[in-house]
Amino acid sequence: MSKATEHLSKIKHSLAGRNRAEARFRWYGRIAIFIGLAAVAVLFGDIINKGHGAFRTTYINLDVSYDQDLIGVNNLADSEQLSAGNWDALTKSALRAKFPNISGRSDKRRLNNLLSNGAGFDLKDRLLESPQLLGKTESVWMLADDDIDTYYKSWLAGEAYAARLSDKQVIWIGELHQQGLIKLQFNSNFFMRGDSREPEQAGILGAAIGSFLTLIVTLMLSFPIGVCAAIYLEEFAPKNRWTDFIEVNINNLAAVPSIIFGLLGLAIFINFFHVPRSVPLIGGLVLTLMTLPTIIITSRAAIKSVPPSIREAALGMGASRYQVVLHHVLPLALPGMLTGAIIGMAQALGETAPLLMIGMVAFIVDIPSGFSDPATVLPVQIFLWADSPERAFIEKTSAAIMVLLSFLIIMNTSAVWLRKRLERRW
Amino acid sequence: MSKGKIIFSASIILTSFLLAPLSTARDTIEVVGSSTVYPFSTVVAERYGRASGKPTPKIESTGSGGGMKLFCGGLGTNYPDITNSSRRIKMSEFKKCQSNGVKGIIEVQIGYDGIVVANSVTAESMDLSRKDIFLALAAKVPGEKEGQLIDNPYSTWKQVNASLPDIGIEVLGPPPTSGTRDAFAELAMEGGCKKIDWIAALKKTDKNAYKQVCHTVREDGRYIEAGENDNLIVQKLEANPAALGVFGFSFLDQNADKVQGAKIESVSPTFESIADKSYPISRPLFFYVKKAHVGVVPGMKGFLKEFTNERAWGEDGYLAEKGMIPLPTEMRKAMAKNTLSLIPMTGQEALK
């Protein structure tokens, strides 16, 4: 046997083993992906399972008579009268009219507890919208209390949870159900209102707008600053010890825990510059500090990926360095920079730790209308609801997580789409 | 316009709007402080906001100590107007307030909160004494000889007290930063600790040593610090019937189908037993107001009026609904009068 055939037979012998090794490795890869996907599926399944209920809420239909004497209001234009008005009397009398045979203080109180304690104020808003109703009677679907909501949902699902209700309340709800006067309806409050301590009135809009305003400040500050820094470092700065030192520091900053940026924000922006606490402006400033390194690093990578031949060609045509960068390099690197910025923003959207220090972890009911109105953000809202004793907040928490996740998915998908759309391969 | 110019002008605009809000006055009341008072304070704030149509007060949950620090920082719109507290203000904090110019402080006691020791409803209900709690959870317990302290040897409840079930000691509770933990150490642990005569005698001779013995919780894994989130403790108790948890009464009230409160000295934690003080582990809740801010920050008077209204803190009020235990009627009346006529603390109060 010659040496060549000897080699050949060796190769033939080992071939099956090598193929098996590859097949095994492929399986390891598939299992790894399966484990990852299973974890995501369990997480999403759990959240959706817990949270889907929050998108519907219980309403009770009652005949409300807008009696002027009852509320103590005869002129709807008088704001003094309006704020002193006894709006709860409207809901109480409507309930009393529906269940006339109820006597005794504690039973009356239980009866009043069927409706949300914000239902009276909802009627006030309704009356201000259509003033001709004053003195008239109409049938209205009104928001039920969160305990009633929890009970009614669990009862419809076949496993009634009545620990917070009295036996009589359970009977009353049964009667209302038979008469078709209680129903589940799309929970528009959840998308139209700010935070509330009453789960049935709590909404995500305040936090969503707070997040939006905060991210605008972050984007408007961190993107131009980050891109300028990246362009200077890549295209103009001399390569020496100083720039190496700066590069090491930027990479370090990207890995600093975010709570540190919160402490920095507290010390510099609030204590030194006296920026007000709890506003989107201060939130945006702190998150800018946090996302800036990410944007600088991705922008530099995007600039680096523009081939030198482009620069050389432009220089050869007599363009200045400034023109080369602004007319040729920047447009080509922009998709990469935008992707980096979106990922940075998505990171900022999910942050709570740095906001703790600057007062954005707070109970804020009013929906912010500007950069200097008190506001909170989505992840903080999730944290606050998860910490609340009322059981109905459990499903609100999961629903808020779903809203946050859908924003994150939208942002990350648009990052992928932008890259696919605008990227040029060389 | 070139891109460079756009970037340049954008940064000019940004700097100007960055500096703009610095001069604006504040029209929202700022409240900080205890996470125990937070659920009650927020309800009042919300009702006040909806009824009056004015901005709803902003409430941060910073813990009692953290709230006091911010509150006593100084006067003016950069500092909060009100701080909530699940314990009375300390002498050191009062002095710090005074030295920072916060002179007129109005003290308002709003009600009580009970601390419960609870376990899963699937487990056997417990009847504990405060002495049992101390012996089960202290880092050091009395040995056989008087005056001797040994590392806590107990691993089951039966070893602590023969009438208790034979299950391992495993208690989930709040970390030291929490006001609930302070109150638990003071009311439950110390309450049991001073039942042991020679330790009670120690209080007169060496106060620090007494406190050290009574307040120090064991760190060998039998007491598990479960973070500030009481919902998490409830969930863990549900999953582990052998464990006990320590948290505020309102969480027991909301989760009656999952957890049951242990009797303390044979008294169950209920609304009534905490209100008439027969349940031993309860504590007063307060908030503190800066007198100088009333009339400067709009709406302060209205907020105080709403809080001290019978429909809020009365026996049938909406705060009772949220799990706060109201003050006795007479005390409520006196407190409301004192608050609305803005009578500040004199500094002569017996503070700790």
Side-chain angles (χ1 to χ4, degrees):
Chain A
M1 249 194 327
S2 75
K3 259 208 163 151
T5 48
E6 205 176 307
H7 273 296
L8 218 65
S9 73
K10 252 188 184 169
I11 288 168
K12 264 188 186 158
H13 271 294
S14 70
L15 186 63
R18 283 186 290 145
N19 281 342
R20 273 203 303 279
E22 186 181 326
R24 265 203 307 278
F25 183 76
R26 281 176 190 229
W27 273 109
Y28 294 151
R30 284 184 196 133
I31 290 169
I33 286 177
F34 174 76
I35 291 174
L37 281 181
V40 172
V42 167
L43 178 76
F44 275 45
D46 182 53
I47 289 169
I48 291 172
N49 185 29
K50 275 191 191 145
H52 70 94
F55 298 116
R56 276 145 67 81
T57 192
T58 311
Y59 283 83
I60 296 176
N61 187 300
L62 291 172
D63 293 329
V64 176
S65 60
Y66 298 96
D67 188 339
Q68 302 184 359
D69 298 335
L70 200 63
I71 339 171
V73 172
N74 49 33
N75 177 9
L76 288 174
D78 186 350
S79 66
E80 201 123 301
Q81 271 192 23
L82 283 179
S83 71
N86 187 3
W87 302 98
D88 287 343
L90 281 183
T91 57
K92 283 180 187 167
S93 74
L95 282 164
R96 207 68 53 78
K98 180 78 209 157
F99 297 97
N101 300 327
I102 281 149
S103 57
R105 233 166 93 79
S106 65
D107 275 358
K108 279 182 185 164
R109 203 176 126 213
R110 286 196 193 106
L111 184 66
N112 294 337
N113 284 351
L114 288 184
L115 286 178
S116 161
N117 67 19
F121 294 121
D122 289 345
L123 291 178
K124 171 186 169 187
D125 296 343
R126 166 131 187 86
L127 202 53
L128 289 179
E129 243 171 56
S130 29
Q132 74 278 6
L133 282 171
L134 193 63
K136 299 208 178 79
T137 302
E138 69 163 347
S139 107
V140 193
W141 285 101
M142 284 184 288
L143 203 53
D145 186 68
D146 58 311
D147 289 329
I148 307 296
D149 182 50
T150 310
Y151 167 74
Y152 190 60
K153 279 176 187 159
S154 64
W155 183 70
L156 286 179
E159 33 190 295
Y161 167 71
R164 293 269 302 159
L165 304 188
S166 74
D167 296 345
K168 286 199 176 145
Q169 282 175 315
V170 171
I171 296 169
W172 294 331
I173 295 170
E175 281 176 28
L176 286 171
H177 181 73
Q178 272 180 351
Q179 297 165 13
L181 294 178
I182 183 167
K183 68 168 181 186
L184 287 180
Q185 196 174 299
F186 176 68
N187 187 359
S188 56
N189 279 327
F190 185 71
F191 296 100
M192 302 301 288
R193 279 196 177 155
D195 194 8
S196 168
R197 285 287 303 136
E198 306 299 331
E200 74 277 6
Q201 297 171 46
I204 196 85
L205 186 65
I209 291 187
S211 270
F212 178 71
L213 292 172
T214 309
L215 284 189
I216 286 186
V217 176
T218 311
L219 185 66
M220 293 197 12
L221 288 171
S222 64
F223 192 63
I225 297 175
V227 168
C228 277
I231 291 176
Y232 179 78
L233 285 173
E234 275 307 311
E235 298 287 334
F236 297 101
K239 298 272 173 278
N240 58 24
R241 272 201 196 159
W242 276 110
T243 45
D244 284 349
F245 177 72
I246 290 171
E247 179 161 1
V248 168
N249 272 299
I250 289 173
N251 290 342
N252 264 338
L253 272 183
V256 164
S258 54
I259 184 87
I260 312 258
F261 292 110
L263 287 167
L264 196 70
L266 177 69
I268 296 179
F269 297 129
I270 292 185
N271 291 346
F272 189 72
F273 284 111
H274 295 299
V275 180
R277 282 171 76 84
S278 322
V279 299
L281 179 65
I282 178 79
L285 285 168
V286 167
L287 292 178
T288 298
L289 295 179
M290 201 194 80
T291 47
L292 207 48
T294 316
I295 292 185
I296 295 178
I297 291 169
T298 51
S299 299
R300 290 185 72 175
I303 294 169
K304 263 188 202 142
S305 72
V306 175
S309 54
I310 303 270
R311 295 187 187 84
E312 281 153 17
L315 285 172
M317 295 300 289
S320 71
R321 297 264 302 269
Y322 177 73
Q323 282 172 322
V324 170
V325 170
L326 227 59
H327 298 171
H328 301 279
V329 177
L330 189 60
L332 290 171
L334 211 53
M337 291 173 170
L338 282 176
T339 315
I342 291 175
I343 290 170
M345 290 299 116
Q347 226 176 36
L349 177 64
E351 270 304 336
T352 40
L355 304 179
L356 198 69
M357 291 291 140
I358 54 171
M360 288 190 86
V361 181
F363 176 72
I364 289 155
V365 175
D366 301 333
I367 292 166
S369 56
F371 295 103
S372 53
D373 282 350
T376 186
V377 294
L378 283 168
V380 168
Q381 191 65 74
I382 293 167
F383 168 74
L384 289 175
W385 284 349
D387 213 20
S388 300
E390 290 81 5
R391 171 189 288 251
F393 272 124
I394 294 173
E395 59 178 26
K396 296 277 170 223
T397 309
S398 294
I401 295 173
M402 276 146 82
V403 171
L404 179 65
L405 278 178
S406 47
F407 277 124
L408 285 173
I409 290 172
I410 292 171
M411 288 176 85
N412 285 325
T413 322
S414 60
V416 172
W417 181 79
L418 263 181
R419 198 169 59 220
K420 284 257 160 69
R421 182 81 207 272
L422 301 171
E423 195 177 45
R424 288 181 68 176
R425 296 203 171 273
W426 308 97
Chain B
M1 205 154 77
S2 77
K3 276 185 182 123
K5 275 185 191 153
I6 294 175
I7 291 172
F8 180 73
S9 45
S11 48
I12 295 286
I13 293 166
L14 278 170
T15 336
S16 54
F17 102 99
L18 203 158
L19 295 171
L22 303 188
S23 53
T24 53
R26 181 151 62 78
D27 60 354
T28 317
I29 301 171
E30 278 191 17
V31 184
V32 293
S34 162
S35 54
T36 315
V37 185
Y38 171 87
F40 310 127
S41 193
T42 44
V43 181
V44 179
E46 193 182 342
R47 298 279 304 189
Y48 162 73
R50 274 204 95 174
S52 67
K54 299 209 173 73
T56 309
K58 182 191 92 187
I59 299 171
E60 278 181 63
S61 160
T62 59
S64 300
M68 280 296 173
K69 206 173 148 191
L70 288 167
F71 180 80
C72 291
L75 286 179
T77 50
N78 284 319
Y79 300 96
D81 311 309
I82 295 174
T83 186
N84 297 324
S85 183
S86 57
R87 55 169 173 74
R88 209 168 184 203
I89 188 171
K90 288 179 186 162
M91 201 59 200
S92 57
E93 290 164 340
F94 186 77
K95 281 190 179 142
K96 180 147 183 262
C97 256
Q98 302 288 321
S99 69
N100 283 340
V102 186
K103 290 262 163 31
I105 305 170
I106 304 158
E107 180 182 56
V108 188
Q109 189 183 342
I110 55 170
Y112 302 96
D113 175 44
I115 297 171
V116 298
V117 181
N119 59 1
S120 163
V121 280
T122 56
E124 201 182 331
S125 153
M126 302 277 270
D127 185 351
L128 301 168
S129 69
R130 279 173 285 177
K131 193 173 168 189
D132 296 338
I133 295 177
F134 168 70
L135 291 178
L137 294 180
K140 295 214 184 258
V141 294
E144 281 170 15
K145 277 182 278 175
E146 188 177 300
Q148 181 198 24
L149 285 168
I150 53 171
D151 285 336
N152 196 330
Y154 304 118
S155 58
T156 70
W157 288 100
K158 203 178 173 69
Q159 290 168 2
V160 172
N161 181 341
S163 66
L164 292 172
D166 191 15
I167 48 174
I169 296 171
E170 189 181 352
V171 179
L172 302 155
T177 47
S178 157
T180 312
R181 167 74 171 267
D182 289 346
F184 181 72
E186 198 178 312
L187 298 164
M189 302 267 296
E190 193 182 323
C193 180
K194 65 186 177 204
K195 297 263 160 73
I196 296 157
D197 293 334
W198 68 265
I199 298 183
L202 190 65
K203 189 176 183 182
K204 292 192 187 92
T205 52
D206 189 348
K207 214 171 171 184
N208 281 337
Y210 167 77
K211 225 176 155 183
Q212 177 83 16
V213 175
C214 291
H215 286 211
T216 311
V217 172
R218 66 199 294 185
E219 283 173 346
D220 55 358
R222 300 259 167 214
Y223 180 90
I224 302 149
E225 283 171 10
E228 296 258 16
N229 187 334
D230 290 354
N231 269 332
L232 199 69
I233 299 184
V234 172
Q235 274 177 31
K236 284 183 177 165
L237 292 182
E238 206 187 356
N240 179 3
L244 272 75
V246 176
F247 44 84
F249 173 73
S250 50
F251 284 84
L252 176 69
D253 192 37
Q254 285 282 341
N255 294 289
D257 63 326
K258 292 181 186 162
V259 287
Q260 56 183 354
K263 285 183 184 171
I264 308 290
E265 328 275 4
S266 301
V267 182
S268 294
T270 61
F271 205 84
E272 292 75 24
S273 66
I274 298 170
D276 68 18
K277 294 200 183 161
S278 58
Y279 182 78
I281 322 179
S282 74
R283 57 177 160 169
L285 303 175
F286 298 90
F287 70 84
Y288 293 87
V289 187
K290 278 178 193 161
K291 189 176 177 180
H293 283 201
V294 180
V296 178
V297 177
M300 293 275 286
K301 266 222 152 126
F303 181 67
L304 293 180
K305 216 169 165 181
E306 178 68 39
F307 217 128
T308 55
N309 194 316
E310 277 296 302
R311 71 167 174 234
W313 73 353
E315 260 139 44
D316 289 331
Y318 54 78
L319 289 177
E321 194 107 328
K322 285 281 168 196
M324 190 190 79
I325 321 288
L327 297 173
T329 316
E330 286 307 307
M331 204 168 159
R332 243 180 7 246
K333 274 187 191 150
M335 196 61 81
K337 203 172 150 220
N338 192 54
T339 308
L340 293 178
S341 40
L342 306 174
I343 297 167
M345 297 171 76
T346 55
Q348 304 300 314
E349 291 89 354
L351 301 177
K352 270 187 198 160

